[in-house]
Each structure stands twice: as C-alpha cells, then as structure tokens.
Amino acid sequence: MKALRRIQTRHRLKSPWSRRKRKKPLTLRRWKRFFTPEGRLRNGGVGLLKKVRSRGIDPSIRSEVWPFLLGVCDLNSSKEERGATRIWRRKVYERLRRQCKRLQRRNSSYSLAQDTDSSCSDDAFSTHESLSSDKDITEDIGNMSEASCTLDGDYSGSRGLNSESEDSDSSDENDSVQLVPSSERRDEDSTSPSSIYISRTKEDFVTWQRIIRLDAVRADTEWTPYSPSQSMVTEDKARRAAEAVVLKDYSHLEPSKIFHAARLVAVLEAYALHDPEIGYCQGMSDLLSPILSVIPDDYEAFWCFVGFMKKARQNFSLDEVGITRQLNIVSKIIKSKDSQLYKHLEKVKAEDYFFVYRMVLVMFRRELTLEQTLCLWEAMWADQAAIRAGIGKSSWSRRIKHRAPPTDDLLLYAIAASVLQRRKLIIEKYNSMEEILRECHSMVGKLDVWKLLDDAHDLIVTLHTKIEHAIP
C-alpha cells in the first residue's frame, strides 16, 4: 500500500500554488471580519480582493461575495445602502420579466400586416403606459450604480427600453419597446413607419426565445453538487417554474434540470431586453449556469450576470471585434514569451489563434471542471474589481507572488499559459491548426487551475507592461 501511495503521489499534478490550495479559502468568519460595524468593507475591499485572488472563496459564502466582485455591490457601500439598492434591483428585474411576458403574448398573435391595426396601437400604448408609470422609480435606479439599467434611457452605449415621456404621441408610443440598435435605426429610412421597428423587435425576440429554450434544456448539470436546494426541488415546483416561462419539450428531464432550465430562460430573456444590442447568443448560457448554481434568487443572479457580461459581452458581438482583439493579445503574449513556438504556429498556419477561440468565448468553461472554473473566474473578477476601484499595484501585498499587478486580461494570460505548457508537444508533433485545435479540446479535465494561475501571473509579471503598450 505504501508503494502504491508513493506512485500515486508522483503522478499528482504539482503546482507552486498547491500549498495555497491546501490553506483555507475565504471563510465565513474571515468574511465577516472584513466589515466595519456599519457594514462597509475595510480599506475599500483591498484585503478581500487579495484573499480571493490568492485562495478563492469557500462555497458556502460565494453567494454573498460574488455581488461585490461583479460590481453589483459597491466596495465602499454600507449595509443600509446595499439594502436600498437591492430593492431597486429587484423591481427592475421584475419589470423586465413582465415585459418579456407581454412580448411573448403579443408575438403569438401579431404579424406585420396587423401592425397598422388600431388594436396594435392600443396594445403598444398600454405597454408604454405601464413603463411610464414607473418613471420615478427608474430615474432613482439610474443613480444606483454603474451596473444599473434604466428603462427610460441607454445602458453602456446600447439602447434600453425607451419610455421618454408619459405625454408622447401615438407615433412615439409604438417605439416604447425598441430592440433594434440605435446605429441600425439611423440607417433605416426615416420615413418608414415605426410599426416596422416593432415587427423587427418581435422577430428578434422570438428568435432569442427559441434559442434560449433550446440551450436551456441542453444545459449540463455539473452544477448540482453546488446547489443542494435546487437539486432537491420537487417535480411540482419544477413544472410550475417551467410553465411560468413557457418552457416546452422538457418531459425527458429530471425536476432539478427542469427547474434549472426554467431559471436560465427567465434570466436570459430579461438580459436580452436589458442589453438588446447583444440580445442572446449561444454560449451565454454556459456563463450564466454557474452563477445560477450559486445565487439562489433570480433577480440577484440576473444582476451578477449583468456585471459579468460588462466584460464578456464583447465575446458575443456579431462583428467579432472583441474576440479578434483578445486572440491578438494571446498572440502577442506567446510571441513575447516564446518566439520559437510563435514561429511554429505561423508555419502551420495557426497564426490566427482560432484554436483557443472556445477558451476565449466561454472563458475556459469547457476546458475546466465547474469548481476549477469558479476558482479561475473569482481570481479574474477580483482583478477586475481592483481595477474598477482604482486599486494600483502598490496596494497589493508582497505576499502575492512577484507582486503581479491586477489586470483586465487575466483570462488571456491563462489561455496563453495553457498553450505554453504544451509547447514541446505542439512544436514536435503538430503540423496543422486542426491538430492543435484537437489538442486544446482534449485539455478538458486535465488542467491544474492553480498551476495555470501561477503561470499566468508569471507572464503578467514579465510581460504586462510590454503587452499593455502594444495594444492599440
């Protein structure tokens, strides 16, 4: 037995971070000690971010910590302030859900020919009136935080749900639910009837609804151990949740999967209205599923997803400018670190780095187990929270290895590190992009996330300044 244990020990993945992994992550007791008596994080949350960055979070308190990492809760807010904004967040989410249901009901009966019918005008007016009646609330919400959405204005440069005035005339009322990006609207013939915009809106939303439901019922269930309450949901509760979002074709699923699929639909539909420029694209459910496994309330999960998507939404833009930019950064990191590997990738025509496309798109969700994914994301979110809060390199403890500064691109350094870990194999054995792509896809379940983070931080220490200056 002793000999067997020695063999097993030799074959375990070694990592300079392994000792940290054995140390305690952020626990409930330590979490509480970060707060002052009035419920503010001490020192602007610096201690919290350092702890999360290096050791992760105990699963039992992830639902409390994540809103701070994702910008839902301000790092300098008091307990009273967070309680007030929580009420507004809930109201915004509930309004978005009501709007989803209205659109869904009308989608089943509207057609382009009916858009000029008087009944359409009346229905559009009733929706506009409902949104306008909450005008005072949405104005207050607009001041809540950068992560907030007002239904009367724009969000992050994208058009929201317009409800400019309670006294709008009938032509404006038809525009009360606009999902066509403002840049597209400007390209339209200004004399075109507003009913055309409504028709396009409904068509887009119908498409999103269909794809969301297909992806929801196919979602994986690796999250089950992380959410015992959801995994033990009754069949009656699961079916009621499915009926509430008009989910179909779920008879083959277990109650826990039905319930999870229904939550995916509810939150993703709300996000599609919240950010109509992006709407819904396949892959977004991969990012939301882990959040739903940790955050029990849909409205809070929605806002955490909004915070996550502030950085991730570039991955789902139709022009793929964001994806291309990130692939170029991975290329620059590898070129700066290992010119021989870089030249080999050029030689085998893999210089576009398409072989790491999936890693960028869903942020290692397919290559890592769920627990490993959460560890990586938490380190990534801690870096992004530090940057949002203006915490510079000097604020980080010397105990952080080599004092690697926080970066918005930790994910990209981790992706580059995963490729560099296989440099010898790639150079000696692979002579085409397809072979390298297969190797990357075969990483599933074989990566040591702590080794990956360690290597990523090494790259940040040596290359961060150079890469940052090279990015246009």
Side-chain angles (χ1 to χ4, degrees), residues 61-116:
I61 59 169
R62 276 177 168 147
S63 61
E64 297 179 52
V65 182
W66 281 14
F68 287 88
L69 300 182
L70 290 165
V72 178
C73 296
D74 192 283
L75 291 172
N76 293 302
S77 62
S78 67
K79 185 177 181 180
E80 184 179 355
E81 290 167 344
R82 292 193 296 275
T85 58
R86 188 177 295 112
I87 294 171
W88 297 125
R89 289 198 303 272
R90 186 169 208 151
K91 287 186 177 181
V92 173
Y93 174 73
E94 289 172 351
R95 192 178 308 113
L96 284 168
R97 285 301 311 150
R98 290 196 299 272
Q99 188 71 353
C100 288
K101 291 176 181 177
R102 289 191 192 105
L103 287 170
Q104 191 170 51
R105 284 196 298 269
R106 271 181 285 163
N107 284 337
S108 65
S109 59
Y110 272 169
S111 67
L112 181 61
Q114 290 175 314
D115 284 332
T116 56

Side-chain angles (χ1 to χ4, degrees), residues 97-163:
R97 285 301 311 150
R98 290 196 299 272
Q99 188 71 353
C100 288
K101 291 176 181 177
R102 289 191 192 105
L103 287 170
Q104 191 170 51
R105 284 196 298 269
R106 271 181 285 163
N107 284 337
S108 65
S109 59
Y110 272 169
S111 67
L112 181 61
Q114 290 175 314
D115 284 332
T116 56
D117 189 87
S118 59
S119 62
C120 281
S121 298
D122 293 339
D123 200 5
F125 177 76
S126 66
T127 301
H128 172 76
E129 187 177 47
S130 174
L131 290 174
S132 297
S133 66
D134 292 323
K135 185 178 180 183
D136 292 338
I137 291 176
T138 55
E139 285 176 351
D140 289 339
I141 294 168
N143 298 322
M144 183 172 66
S145 73
E146 192 179 353
S148 299
C149 162
T150 68
L151 302 187
D152 297 318
D154 291 348
Y155 169 74
S156 296
S158 304
R159 193 182 62 263
L161 305 180
N162 292 326
S163 177

Side-chain angles (χ1 to χ4, degrees), residues 74-271:
D74 192 283
L75 291 172
N76 293 302
S77 62
S78 67
K79 185 177 181 180
E80 184 179 355
E81 290 167 344
R82 292 193 296 275
T85 58
R86 188 177 295 112
I87 294 171
W88 297 125
R89 289 198 303 272
R90 186 169 208 151
K91 287 186 177 181
V92 173
Y93 174 73
E94 289 172 351
R95 192 178 308 113
L96 284 168
R97 285 301 311 150
R98 290 196 299 272
Q99 188 71 353
C100 288
K101 291 176 181 177
R102 289 191 192 105
L103 287 170
Q104 191 170 51
R105 284 196 298 269
R106 271 181 285 163
N107 284 337
S108 65
S109 59
Y110 272 169
S111 67
L112 181 61
Q114 290 175 314
D115 284 332
T116 56
D117 189 87
S118 59
S119 62
C120 281
S121 298
D122 293 339
D123 200 5
F125 177 76
S126 66
T127 301
H128 172 76
E129 187 177 47
S130 174
L131 290 174
S132 297
S133 66
D134 292 323
K135 185 178 180 183
D136 292 338
I137 291 176
T138 55
E139 285 176 351
D140 289 339
I141 294 168
N143 298 322
M144 183 172 66
S145 73
E146 192 179 353
S148 299
C149 162
T150 68
L151 302 187
D152 297 318
D154 291 348
Y155 169 74
S156 296
S158 304
R159 193 182 62 263
L161 305 180
N162 292 326
S163 177
E164 297 290 358
S165 169
E166 293 184 54
D167 300 322
S168 304
D169 61 27
S170 60
S171 63
D172 291 330
E173 285 157 8
N174 282 334
D175 287 335
S176 62
V177 182
Q178 289 286 347
L179 300 185
V180 185
S182 53
S183 59
E184 288 186 35
R185 279 197 68 200
R186 286 193 294 271
D187 292 337
E188 294 285 349
D189 182 355
S190 60
T191 62
S192 297
S194 57
S195 60
I196 296 296
Y197 300 137
I198 287 183
S199 177
R200 288 182 63 182
T201 290
K202 288 181 297 184
E203 289 171 1
D204 289 341
F205 195 71
V206 166
T207 300
W208 295 336
Q209 284 182 314
R210 179 178 58 80
I211 301 173
I212 285 171
R213 281 161 175 75
L214 286 172
D215 287 353
V217 297
R218 293 187 299 214
D220 70 68
T221 55
E222 191 184 354
W223 55 269
T224 304
Y226 297 86
S227 185
S229 61
Q230 293 182 64
S231 63
M232 298 296 289
V233 69
T234 64
E235 183 173 355
D236 181 59
K237 184 177 180 180
R239 293 190 178 278
R240 277 189 281 114
E243 290 169 5
V245 296
V246 197
L247 183 66
K248 300 177 181 178
D249 302 322
Y250 59 80
S251 58
H252 62 290
L253 298 177
E254 299 170 3
S256 60
K257 296 179 183 179
I258 297 171
F259 188 67
H260 186 71
R263 293 189 70 201
L264 280 169
V265 170
V267 175
L268 289 169
E269 277 189 345
Y271 184 82

